[in-house]
Coordinates of all heavy atoms in Angstrom, one line a residue:
M1 N 84.4 152.7 67.2 CA 84.7 152.7 68.6 C 84.8 151.3 69.0 O 84.0 150.5 68.8 CB 83.5 153.5 69.3 CG 83.7 153.5 70.7 SD 82.2 154.4 71.3 CE 83.0 154.9 72.8
I2 N 85.9 151.0 69.7 CA 86.1 149.7 70.3 C 85.7 149.7 71.7 O 86.2 150.5 72.5 CB 87.6 149.3 70.1 CG1 87.9 149.3 68.6 CG2 87.8 148.0 70.7 CD1 89.4 149.0 68.4
T3 N 84.9 148.8 72.2 CA 84.5 148.6 73.6 C 85.0 147.2 74.1 O 84.9 146.3 73.3 CB 83.0 148.8 73.8 OG1 82.4 147.8 73.1 CG2 82.6 150.2 73.4
H4 N 85.4 147.2 75.2 CA 85.9 145.9 75.8 C 84.8 145.4 76.8 O 84.5 146.3 77.7 CB 87.2 146.0 76.5 CG 88.3 146.4 75.5 ND1 88.9 145.5 74.7 CD2 88.9 147.5 75.3 CE1 89.7 146.0 73.9 NE2 89.8 147.3 74.3
S5 N 84.3 144.2 76.7 CA 83.3 143.8 77.6 C 84.1 142.9 78.7 O 83.4 142.0 79.4 CB 82.3 143.0 76.9 OG 82.8 141.9 76.4
K6 N 85.4 143.1 78.8 CA 86.2 142.3 79.8 C 85.8 142.7 81.2 O 85.6 143.8 81.6 CB 87.7 142.7 79.6 CG 88.6 141.7 80.0 CD 90.0 142.3 79.5 CE 91.1 141.2 79.8 NZ 92.4 141.7 79.4
K7 N 85.6 141.6 82.0 CA 85.2 141.8 83.4 C 86.4 142.1 84.3 O 87.5 141.7 83.9 CB 84.5 140.6 83.9 CG 83.1 140.3 83.3 CD 82.4 139.2 83.9 CE 81.0 139.0 83.4 NZ 80.3 138.0 84.1
K8 N 86.3 142.9 85.3 CA 87.4 143.3 86.1 C 87.9 142.0 86.9 O 87.1 141.2 87.3 CB 87.0 144.4 87.1 CG 86.6 145.6 86.4 CD 86.1 146.7 87.4 CE 85.7 148.0 86.6 NZ 85.1 148.9 87.5
Q9 N 89.2 141.9 87.0 CA 89.8 140.9 87.7 C 90.3 141.3 89.0 O 90.8 142.4 89.2 CB 91.0 140.3 86.7 CG 90.6 139.8 85.5 CD 89.8 138.5 85.6 OE1 90.3 137.6 86.2 NE2 88.7 138.4 85.0
Y10 N 90.3 140.3 90.0 CA 90.7 140.6 91.4 C 91.5 139.5 91.9 O 91.3 138.4 91.4 CB 89.4 140.8 92.3 CG 88.5 141.8 91.9 CD1 87.5 141.8 90.9 CD2 88.6 143.1 92.5 CE1 86.8 142.9 90.6 CE2 87.8 144.2 92.3 CZ 86.9 144.1 91.3 OH 86.1 145.2 90.9
A11 N 92.3 139.8 92.9 CA 93.1 138.8 93.5 C 92.7 138.6 95.0 O 92.5 139.6 95.6 CB 94.6 139.2 93.4
L12 N 92.5 137.4 95.4 CA 92.1 137.1 96.9 C 93.3 136.7 97.6 O 93.9 135.7 97.2 CB 91.0 136.1 96.8 CG 90.4 135.6 98.1 CD1 89.9 136.7 98.9 CD2 89.6 134.4 97.9
Y13 N 93.4 137.3 98.8 CA 94.5 137.0 99.6 C 93.9 136.6 101.1 O 92.8 137.2 101.4 CB 95.5 138.1 99.8 CG 96.3 138.4 98.6 CD1 95.9 139.2 97.7 CD2 97.6 137.9 98.5 CE1 96.7 139.5 96.5 CE2 98.4 138.1 97.4 CZ 97.9 138.9 96.4 OH 98.7 139.3 95.2
K14 N 94.6 135.8 101.8 CA 94.3 135.7 103.1 C 95.6 135.9 103.9 O 96.5 135.3 103.8 CB 93.8 134.3 103.5 CG 93.4 134.1 105.0 CD 92.6 132.8 105.2 CE 92.1 132.8 106.6 NZ 91.3 131.7 106.9
G15 N 95.5 137.1 104.5 CA 96.9 137.6 105.1 C 97.7 137.9 103.9 O 97.3 138.8 103.1
D16 N 98.9 137.4 104.0 CA 99.8 137.6 102.9 C 99.9 136.5 101.8 O 100.7 136.6 100.9 CB 101.3 137.8 103.4 CG 101.5 139.0 104.2 OD1 100.8 140.0 103.9 OD2 102.3 139.1 105.0
T17 N 99.1 135.6 102.0 CA 99.0 134.4 101.0 C 97.9 134.6 100.0 O 96.8 134.7 100.3 CB 98.7 133.1 101.9 OG1 99.6 133.0 102.9 CG2 98.8 131.8 101.0
Y18 N 98.4 134.5 98.8 CA 97.5 134.5 97.6 C 96.8 133.2 97.5 O 97.3 132.2 97.6 CB 98.4 134.7 96.3 CG 97.5 134.5 95.0 CD1 96.9 135.7 94.6 CD2 97.5 133.4 94.3 CE1 96.1 135.5 93.5 CE2 96.7 133.2 93.1 CZ 96.0 134.3 92.6 OH 95.3 134.3 91.6
L19 N 95.4 133.4 97.3 CA 94.5 132.2 97.3 C 93.9 131.9 95.9 O 93.9 130.7 95.5 CB 93.3 132.4 98.4 CG 93.7 132.5 99.8 CD1 92.5 132.7 100.6 CD2 94.4 131.3 100.2
Y20 N 93.5 133.0 95.3 CA 92.7 132.8 94.0 C 92.6 134.1 93.3 O 92.6 135.2 93.8 CB 91.3 132.4 94.4 CG 90.5 131.7 93.3 CD1 90.7 130.5 92.8 CD2 89.5 132.5 92.7 CE1 90.0 129.9 91.7 CE2 88.7 132.0 91.6 CZ 89.0 130.7 91.1 OH 88.3 130.2 90.2
G21 N 92.4 134.0 91.9 CA 92.2 135.3 91.1 C 91.1 135.0 90.2 O 90.8 133.9 89.7
G22 N 90.3 136.1 89.9 CA 89.2 135.9 88.9 C 88.2 137.1 89.1 O 88.6 138.2 89.8
T23 N 87.1 137.1 88.6 CA 86.0 138.1 88.7 C 85.4 138.0 90.2 O 85.6 137.0 90.9 CB 84.9 137.9 87.7 OG1 84.3 136.6 87.9 CG2 85.5 137.9 86.3
I24 N 84.6 139.0 90.4 CA 83.9 139.0 91.7 C 83.0 137.7 91.7 O 83.0 137.1 92.9 CB 83.0 140.2 91.9 CG1 83.8 141.5 92.0 CG2 82.0 140.2 93.0 CD1 84.5 141.7 93.3
E25 N 82.3 137.4 90.8 CA 81.5 136.1 90.7 C 82.3 134.9 91.0 O 81.9 134.0 91.7 CB 80.8 136.1 89.3 CG 79.9 134.8 89.2 CD 79.2 134.8 87.8 OE1 79.5 135.6 86.9 OE2 78.4 133.8 87.6
E26 N 83.5 134.8 90.3 CA 84.3 133.6 90.4 C 84.9 133.5 91.9 O 84.9 132.4 92.5 CB 85.5 133.7 89.5 CG 85.0 133.5 88.0 CD 86.1 133.8 87.0 OE1 87.0 134.6 87.4 OE2 86.0 133.3 85.9
L27 N 85.3 134.6 92.5 CA 85.8 134.7 93.8 C 84.7 134.2 94.8 O 84.9 133.5 95.7 CB 86.3 136.0 94.2 CG 87.6 136.6 93.5 CD1 87.9 138.0 93.9 CD2 88.7 135.6 93.7
S28 N 83.5 134.7 94.6 CA 82.5 134.3 95.5 C 82.0 132.9 95.5 O 81.7 132.3 96.5 CB 81.1 135.2 95.3 OG 80.6 134.9 94.0
K29 N 82.0 132.4 94.3 CA 81.9 130.9 94.1 C 82.9 130.1 94.7 O 82.6 129.1 95.4 CB 81.8 130.6 92.6 CG 80.3 130.9 92.1 CD 80.2 130.5 90.6 CE 78.9 131.1 90.0 NZ 78.7 130.8 88.7
W30 N 84.2 130.5 94.6 CA 85.3 129.7 95.0 C 85.3 129.7 96.6 O 85.5 128.7 97.2 CB 86.6 130.4 94.5 CG 87.8 129.5 94.8 CD1 88.2 128.5 94.2 CD2 88.7 129.7 95.9 NE1 89.3 128.0 94.7 CE2 89.6 128.7 95.9 CE3 88.7 130.7 96.9 CZ2 90.7 128.6 96.8 CZ3 89.8 130.6 97.9 CH2 90.7 129.6 97.8
L31 N 85.0 130.9 97.2 CA 85.0 131.1 98.6 C 83.7 130.7 99.2 O 83.7 130.5 100.4 CB 85.3 132.6 98.9 CG 85.8 133.0 100.3 CD1 87.0 132.1 100.7 CD2 86.1 134.4 100.4
G32 N 82.6 130.5 98.4 CA 81.3 130.1 99.0 C 80.6 131.2 99.7 O 79.9 130.9 100.7
V33 N 80.8 132.4 99.3 CA 80.1 133.6 99.9 C 79.3 134.4 98.9 O 79.6 134.2 97.6 CB 81.1 134.5 100.7 CG1 81.7 133.7 101.8 CG2 82.1 135.1 99.8
N34 N 78.5 135.3 99.2 CA 77.7 136.1 98.3 C 78.7 137.1 97.7 O 79.7 137.5 98.3 CB 76.7 136.9 99.3 CG 75.6 137.6 98.5 OD1 76.0 138.5 97.6 ND2 74.5 137.2 98.5
E35 N 78.3 137.5 96.5 CA 79.2 138.4 95.8 C 79.3 139.8 96.5 O 80.4 140.5 96.5 CB 78.6 138.8 94.4 CG 78.8 137.7 93.4 CD 78.2 138.0 92.0 OE1 78.2 139.1 91.6 OE2 77.9 136.9 91.4
R36 N 78.2 140.2 97.2 CA 78.3 141.4 98.1 C 79.4 141.3 99.2 O 80.1 142.3 99.4 CB 76.9 141.6 98.7 CG 75.8 142.1 97.8 CD 74.5 142.2 98.4 NE 74.5 142.9 99.6 CZ 73.5 143.0 100.4 NH1 72.3 142.3 100.2 NH2 73.5 143.8 101.5
T37 N 79.6 140.1 99.7 CA 80.7 139.9 100.7 C 82.0 140.2 100.1 O 82.9 140.8 100.6 CB 80.6 138.5 101.2 OG1 79.3 138.3 101.8 CG2 81.7 138.3 102.3
I38 N 82.2 139.7 98.9 CA 83.5 140.0 98.2 C 83.7 141.4 97.9 O 84.8 141.9 98.2 CB 83.6 139.2 96.8 CG1 83.5 137.7 97.1 CG2 84.9 139.5 96.0 CD1 84.6 137.0 97.9
R39 N 82.7 142.1 97.5 CA 82.7 143.5 97.2 C 83.0 144.3 98.6 O 83.8 145.3 98.5 CB 81.4 144.1 96.7 CG 81.2 143.6 95.2 CD 79.9 144.4 94.7 NE 79.3 143.8 93.7 CZ 79.7 143.3 92.5 NH1 81.0 143.4 92.2 NH2 79.0 142.6 91.6
F40 N 82.5 143.8 99.6 CA 82.7 144.5 100.9 C 84.3 144.3 101.4 O 84.8 145.2 101.9 CB 81.8 143.8 102.0 CG 82.1 144.4 103.4 CD1 81.8 145.7 103.7 CD2 82.6 143.6 104.5 CE1 82.1 146.2 104.9 CE2 83.0 144.1 105.7 CZ 82.6 145.3 106.0
Y41 N 84.8 143.2 101.0 CA 86.3 143.0 101.2 C 87.1 144.0 100.5 O 88.3 144.1 100.9 CB 86.7 141.6 100.9 CG 86.1 140.5 101.6 CD1 86.2 139.2 101.1 CD2 85.7 140.6 102.9 CE1 85.6 138.1 101.8 CE2 85.1 139.6 103.7 CZ 85.1 138.3 103.1 OH 84.6 137.3 103.8
T42 N 86.6 144.7 99.6 CA 87.4 145.8 98.8 C 87.2 147.1 99.4 O 87.9 148.0 99.0 CB 87.0 145.8 97.4 OG1 85.7 146.3 97.3 CG2 87.1 144.4 96.7
T43 N 86.3 147.3 100.4 CA 86.1 148.6 100.9 C 87.0 149.1 102.1 O 87.6 148.3 102.8 CB 84.6 148.7 101.5 OG1 84.5 147.9 102.7 CG2 83.6 148.3 100.5
P44 N 87.2 150.4 102.1 CA 88.0 151.0 103.3 C 87.5 150.6 104.7 O 88.3 150.4 105.6 CB 87.9 152.5 103.0 CG 87.6 152.6 101.6 CD 86.7 151.5 101.2
T45 N 86.1 150.5 104.8 CA 85.5 150.2 106.1 C 86.1 148.7 106.5 O 86.4 148.6 107.6 CB 84.1 150.1 106.0 OG1 83.5 151.4 105.5 CG2 83.4 149.7 107.3
Y46 N 86.1 147.8 105.6 CA 86.6 146.4 105.9 C 88.0 146.5 106.2 O 88.4 145.9 107.2 CB 86.2 145.5 104.7 CG 86.8 144.1 105.0 CD1 86.2 143.1 105.8 CD2 88.1 143.7 104.3 CE1 86.7 142.0 106.1 CE2 88.6 142.5 104.6 CZ 88.0 141.6 105.4 OH 88.5 140.4 105.6
L47 N 88.7 147.2 105.5 CA 90.2 147.3 105.8 C 90.5 147.9 107.1 O 91.4 147.5 107.7 CB 90.9 148.0 104.7 CG 90.8 147.4 103.3 CD1 91.5 148.4 102.3 CD2 91.5 146.0 103.3
K48 N 89.7 148.9 107.5 CA 90.0 149.6 108.8 C 89.6 148.6 109.9 O 90.2 148.6 111.0 CB 89.1 150.8 108.9 CG 89.7 152.0 108.2 CD 88.8 153.2 108.3 CE 89.2 154.3 107.3 NZ 88.3 155.4 107.4
R49 N 88.5 147.9 109.7 CA 88.0 147.0 110.7 C 88.9 145.9 111.1 O 89.0 145.4 112.2 CB 86.6 146.3 110.2 CG 85.6 146.3 111.2 CD 84.3 145.7 110.7 NE 83.4 146.9 110.4 CZ 82.2 146.7 109.9 NH1 81.8 145.5 109.7 NH2 81.5 147.8 109.7
F50 N 89.7 145.4 110.1 CA 90.6 144.3 110.2 C 92.0 144.6 109.8 O 92.7 143.8 109.3 CB 90.1 143.1 109.4 CG 88.7 142.6 109.8 CD1 87.5 142.9 109.1 CD2 88.5 141.8 110.9 CE1 86.3 142.5 109.5 CE2 87.3 141.3 111.3 CZ 86.2 141.7 110.6
K51 N 92.4 145.8 110.2 CA 93.6 146.3 109.8 C 94.8 145.5 110.2 O 95.8 145.1 109.3 CB 93.9 147.7 110.5 CG 95.1 148.5 109.9 CD 95.2 149.8 110.7 CE 95.3 150.9 109.5 NZ 95.2 152.2 110.1
N52 N 94.9 144.9 111.3 CA 96.1 144.2 111.8 C 95.9 142.7 111.9 O 96.6 142.0 112.7 CB 96.7 144.7 113.1 CG 97.0 146.2 113.1 OD1 97.7 146.5 112.1 ND2 96.6 147.0 114.1
N53 N 94.9 142.2 111.2 CA 94.5 140.8 111.3 C 95.2 140.0 110.2 O 94.9 140.3 109.1 CB 93.0 140.6 111.3 CG 92.6 139.2 111.7 OD1 93.3 138.3 111.6 ND2 91.4 139.1 112.0
E54 N 96.0 139.1 110.5 CA 96.7 138.3 109.5 C 95.8 137.4 108.9 O 96.2 136.7 107.7 CB 98.0 137.6 110.1 CG 99.1 138.5 110.6 CD 100.2 137.8 111.2 OE1 100.2 136.5 111.1 OE2 101.1 138.5 111.7
N55 N 94.6 136.9 109.4 CA 93.7 136.0 108.8 C 92.6 136.6 108.1 O 91.7 135.9 107.7 CB 93.2 135.1 110.0 CG 94.2 134.2 110.6 OD1 95.1 133.7 109.8 ND2 94.2 134.1 111.9
R56 N 92.7 137.9 107.9 CA 91.6 138.5 107.1 C 91.8 138.3 105.6 O 92.8 138.0 105.1 CB 91.7 140.1 107.3 CG 92.8 140.7 106.6 CD 92.7 142.2 106.5 NE 93.9 142.6 105.8 CZ 94.2 143.8 105.7 NH1 93.5 144.8 106.2 NH2 95.3 144.3 105.1
Y57 N 90.6 138.3 104.9 CA 90.6 138.2 103.4 C 90.9 139.6 102.9 O 90.5 140.6 103.4 CB 89.3 137.7 102.8 CG 89.1 136.3 103.2 CD1 88.2 135.9 104.1 CD2 89.9 135.3 102.5 CE1 88.0 134.5 104.3 CE2 89.6 134.0 102.8 CZ 88.7 133.6 103.8 OH 88.5 132.2 103.9
L58 N 91.6 139.7 101.8 CA 91.9 141.0 101.1 C 91.6 140.7 99.7 O 92.2 139.8 99.1 CB 93.3 141.3 101.4 CG 93.8 142.6 100.8 CD1 93.1 143.8 101.3 CD2 95.3 142.8 101.0
V59 N 90.9 141.5 99.0 CA 90.6 141.5 97.7 C 91.1 142.8 97.0 O 90.7 143.9 97.3 CB 89.1 141.3 97.4 CG1 88.6 141.3 95.9 CG2 88.5 140.1 98.1
I60 N 91.9 142.5 96.0 CA 92.6 143.6 95.3 C 92.3 143.6 93.9 O 92.4 142.5 93.3 CB 94.1 143.6 95.5 CG1 94.5 143.7 97.0 CG2 94.7 144.7 94.7 CD1 95.9 143.6 97.3
K61 N 91.9 144.7 93.3 CA 91.6 144.8 91.8 C 92.9 144.8 91.1 O 93.8 145.3 91.5 CB 90.9 146.1 91.4 CG 90.6 146.2 90.0 CD 89.8 147.5 89.8 CE 89.8 147.7 88.2 NZ 89.3 149.1 88.0
V62 N 92.9 143.8 90.1 CA 94.2 143.7 89.3 C 94.1 144.7 88.2 O 93.2 144.5 87.3 CB 94.3 142.2 88.8 CG1 95.5 142.1 87.8 CG2 94.2 141.2 90.0
D63 N 95.1 145.4 88.1 CA 95.2 146.5 87.0 C 96.0 145.8 85.9 O 97.2 145.6 86.0 CB 95.9 147.7 87.5 CG 95.8 148.8 86.4 OD1 95.1 148.7 85.4 OD2 96.5 149.9 86.7
D64 N 95.3 145.6 84.7 CA 96.0 144.9 83.7 C 96.7 146.0 82.6 O 97.1 145.5 81.6 CB 95.1 143.9 82.9 CG 93.9 144.6 82.3 OD1 93.6 145.9 82.6 OD2 93.2 143.9 81.6
E65 N 96.6 147.2 82.8 CA 97.2 148.1 82.0 C 98.5 148.5 82.5 O 98.7 148.8 83.7 CB 96.2 149.4 81.9 CG 95.0 149.1 81.2 CD 94.1 150.3 81.0 OE1 94.8 151.4 80.7 OE2 92.9 150.2 80.9
Y66 N 99.5 148.7 81.7 CA 100.8 149.1 82.1 C 101.2 150.5 81.8 O 100.9 151.1 80.8 CB 101.8 148.1 81.4 CG 101.6 146.7 81.7 CD1 101.1 145.8 80.8 CD2 101.8 146.3 83.0 CE1 100.7 144.6 81.1 CE2 101.5 144.9 83.3 CZ 101.0 144.0 82.4 OH 100.7 142.7 82.6

């Protein structure tokens, strides 16, 4: 049985501009916020709250499988 310990990768955007890519931990260090904040940026609640804001952060899980 093969297991992968690969951490999930995410892309960080501000509006439509790509800023950074990496794990939750890497994004939080780069942005200078808590990991919980980065996780919150991925939730439907956050997206609804800032639906039409061009300056909002957006964190998207990168799917590496084709």
Side-chain angles (χ1 to χ4, degrees):
M1 177 181 206
I2 298 174
T3 59
H4 297 279
S5 61
K6 203 173 184 183
K7 292 187 178 182
K8 294 177 184 173
Q9 296 290 308
Y10 296 84
L12 173 66
Y13 292 84
K14 186 166 187 177
D16 291 334
T17 305
Y18 173 80
L19 298 177
Y20 193 77
T23 64
I24 293 284
E25 180 182 4
E26 292 167 337
L27 293 178
S28 70
K29 286 181 183 177
W30 188 83
L31 200 52
V33 298
N34 192 298
E35 289 181 31
R36 288 174 51 193
T37 302
I38 300 295
R39 290 189 207 305
F40 179 63
Y41 291 161
T42 68
T43 65
T45 300
Y46 175 77
L47 296 176
K48 285 179 191 175
R49 220 176 262 183
F50 298 100
K51 190 178 230 178
N52 297 321
N53 190 341
E54 293 179 11
N55 291 319
R56 72 169 178 185
Y57 288 110
L58 180 61
V59 177
I60 300 173
K61 182 179 170 190
V62 178
D63 186 9
D64 60 354
E65 295 187 29
Y66 302 106

